[in-house]
Coordinates of all heavy atoms in Angstrom, one line a residue:
R309 N 42.5 58.9 97.9 CA 42.4 59.4 96.5 C 42.0 60.9 96.5 O 41.2 61.3 97.4 CB 41.4 58.6 95.7 CG 41.9 57.1 95.5 CD 42.9 57.0 94.4 NE 42.3 57.3 93.1 CZ 41.6 56.4 92.3 NH1 41.4 55.2 92.8 NH2 41.1 56.7 91.2
M310 N 42.4 61.6 95.5 CA 42.1 63.0 95.5 C 40.9 63.3 94.6 O 40.9 62.8 93.4 CB 43.4 63.8 94.9 CG 43.2 65.3 94.9 SD 44.7 66.1 94.6 CE 45.1 65.6 92.9
V311 N 40.0 64.0 95.1 CA 38.8 64.4 94.3 C 39.0 65.9 94.0 O 39.1 66.7 94.8 CB 37.5 64.2 95.1 CG1 36.3 64.6 94.2 CG2 37.4 62.7 95.6
I312 N 38.9 66.2 92.7 CA 39.1 67.6 92.2 C 37.8 68.2 91.9 O 37.1 67.7 91.0 CB 40.0 67.6 91.0 CG1 41.4 66.9 91.3 CG2 40.3 69.1 90.6 CD1 42.2 66.7 90.0
I313 N 37.4 69.2 92.7 CA 36.1 69.8 92.5 C 36.3 71.2 92.0 O 37.0 72.0 92.6 CB 35.3 69.9 93.9 CG1 35.3 68.5 94.5 CG2 33.9 70.4 93.7 CD1 34.9 68.4 96.0
T314 N 35.7 71.5 90.9 CA 35.8 72.9 90.3 C 34.4 73.5 90.1 O 33.5 72.9 89.6 CB 36.4 72.8 88.9 OG1 37.7 72.1 89.0 CG2 36.7 74.2 88.3
G315 N 34.2 74.7 90.7 CA 32.9 75.3 90.6 C 32.9 76.5 91.5 O 33.8 76.7 92.4
P316 N 31.9 77.4 91.5 CA 31.7 78.5 92.3 C 31.4 78.1 93.8 O 31.2 77.0 94.0 CB 30.6 79.3 91.7 CG 29.8 78.3 91.0 CD 30.8 77.2 90.5
P317 N 31.4 79.1 94.7 CA 31.3 78.8 96.1 C 30.0 77.9 96.4 O 30.1 76.9 97.2 CB 31.2 80.1 96.8 CG 31.9 81.0 95.9 CD 31.7 80.5 94.5
E318 N 28.9 78.2 95.9 CA 27.7 77.5 96.2 C 27.8 76.0 95.7 O 27.4 75.1 96.4 CB 26.5 78.1 95.6 CG 25.1 77.5 96.1 CD 24.0 78.4 95.7 OE1 24.0 79.6 95.8 OE2 23.0 77.8 95.2
A319 N 28.4 75.8 94.6 CA 28.6 74.5 94.0 C 29.6 73.7 94.9 O 29.4 72.5 95.1 CB 29.1 74.6 92.6
Q320 N 30.6 74.4 95.4 CA 31.6 73.7 96.2 C 30.9 73.2 97.5 O 31.1 72.1 97.9 CB 32.7 74.7 96.6 CG 33.7 75.1 95.5 CD 34.6 73.9 95.2 OE1 34.7 72.9 95.9 NE2 35.2 74.0 94.0
Y321 N 30.1 74.1 98.1 CA 29.3 73.7 99.3 C 28.5 72.4 99.1 O 28.5 71.5 99.8 CB 28.4 74.9 99.7 CG 27.8 74.7 101.1 CD1 28.4 75.3 102.2 CD2 26.6 74.0 101.2 CE1 27.8 75.1 103.5 CE2 26.0 73.8 102.5 CZ 26.6 74.4 103.6 OH 26.0 74.2 104.8

Side-chain angles (χ1 to χ4, degrees):
R309 291 281 293 277
M310 183 169 69
V311 182
I312 305 167
I313 307 165
T314 306
E318 189 168 314
Q320 289 289 347
Y321 188 96

